[in-house]
Amino acid sequence: MRGKFITFEGIDGSGKSTQLRMLASELRLRGFDVLTTCEPGGTPLGRRLRETFLETEETVAPLAELLLFAADRAQHVNFLIKPALENGKIVVSDRYADATAAYQGAGRGFDEETIKQVIRLATGGLKPDLTLFFDLPVAVAASRTTSRSNDGEKKNRMDSETFEFYERVRASYLKIAAEEPERFRVVDASGSIDEVKAKVLQVIKAFLD
Ligand code: ADP
Ligand code: TYD
């Protein structure tokens, strides 16, 4: 039996990780077999890659960045996501291939065809059954990540990108969501944690029913 593959997308600080943790607990309470994971860094190799290219002061060439996210994803799909889906699990991933389209495509400026090819290669064509895009104005997301790093969380290279970069990334996510309305649900992420949680549960309940 094939499980279900759900992904969470959004700009940094949009509340994905917070909501993913809460959703997983809710689903487990209801008896679902859930695997939570993330990109980059869902596998041991992925975590090592993440350290080498995301948590570094070294300048990383945009093409190297694109291919490293793809390498992380290929490992993730092969050794974690596919086996879990084959075992009937609900896999919920904090980011997946749409992040490459938004960040490396719109953010860094790679053309659509290159992005599509790299994604196809890395995923073998595996697409999420459902993607929640947590939509939030860039300024609000930035103030949330600032307080997160004041609380001691490590910053990474992407956290130092410009406001315009994140505007392009957000616009790209909204465009992809509009192009694939069957797969995407846009969740307004500007409310309180509990308000957003209620919306997430509503969407997931409708999907699983
Ligand atoms: P992401 O995984 O999308 O980068 P996080 O879940 O880590 O986002 O949230 C970023 C920061 O904002 C964290 O400090 C988190 O506690 C806080 N946060 C998450 N959701 C909300 C919310 N709805 N309102 C206010 N702060 C939030
Ligand atoms: P992370 O700390 O996991 O994200 P968040 O701040 O949302 O918790 O950092 C991952 C960074 O990598 C984030 O800025 C998005 C970026 N990224 C890409 O640029 N391309 C990709 O394909 C993926 C998966 C992530």
Side-chain angles (χ1 to χ4, degrees):
M1 189 193 110
R2 191 184 179 275
K4 294 282 174 219
F5 184 24
I6 301 172
T7 58
F8 280 17
E9 297 284 355
I11 58 173
D12 304 57
S14 55
K16 299 181 307 307
S17 321
T18 306
Q19 293 298 331
L20 194 138
R21 276 193 300 275
M22 292 190 303
L23 173 65
S25 324
E26 291 287 341
L27 289 176
R28 286 181 183 127
L29 277 177
R30 291 167 169 76
F32 289 100
D33 192 1
V34 181
L35 174 82
T36 59
T37 184
C38 66
E39 284 193 6
T43 62
L45 175 67
R47 284 187 279 284
R48 298 221 302 277
L49 283 175
R50 188 196 159 101
E51 272 170 36
T52 56
F53 81 105
L54 214 51
E55 291 160 18
T56 179
E57 303 284 313
E58 184 180 350
T59 305
V60 179
L63 181 59
E65 179 186 276
L66 173 68
L67 296 175
L68 284 160
F69 278 119
D72 168 74
R73 184 162 304 130
Q75 185 79 356
H76 195 205
V77 167
N78 254 279
F79 291 110
L80 203 71
I81 302 176
K82 271 196 174 160
L85 290 174
E86 278 157 15
N87 282 324
K89 289 183 196 284
I90 297 183
V91 177
V92 193
S93 182
D94 189 344
R95 299 189 186 282
Y96 185 63
D98 298 308
T100 288
Y103 282 78
Q104 280 62 55
R108 298 275 186 245
F110 280 99
D111 65 279
E112 226 175 291
E113 199 41 47
T114 304
I115 293 288
K116 273 193 183 153
Q117 280 179 7
V118 170
I119 289 176
R120 210 176 302 126
L121 203 61
T123 62
L126 178 73
K127 278 203 154 197
D129 298 300
L130 180 75
T131 299
L132 272 64
F133 171 57
F134 291 83
D135 190 33
L136 195 63
V138 174
V140 181
S143 75
R144 288 188 189 172
T145 50
T146 306
S147 57
R148 183 172 66 182
S149 51
N150 288 343
D151 289 343
E153 183 164 315
K154 253 198 278 180
K155 285 184 80 150
N156 67 52
R157 243 172 3 88
M158 308 300 266
D159 290 333
S160 330
E161 287 302 332
T162 61
F163 192 87
E164 288 72 27
F165 177 91
Y166 281 107
E167 285 290 1
R168 290 199 298 281
V169 172
R170 181 187 182 199
S172 167
Y173 271 130
L174 285 168
K175 183 166 172 273
I176 306 169
E179 282 165 2
E180 289 191 62
E182 286 286 297
R183 171 164 73 91
F184 264 88
R185 301 289 178 278
V186 178
V187 174
D188 177 356
S190 62
S192 69
I193 290 180
D194 282 343
E195 282 165 350
V196 180
K197 179 184 173 186
K199 287 180 205 157
V200 171
L201 286 178
Q202 200 183 355
V203 167
I204 298 294
K205 193 173 178 308
F207 170 72
L208 292 176
D209 284 349

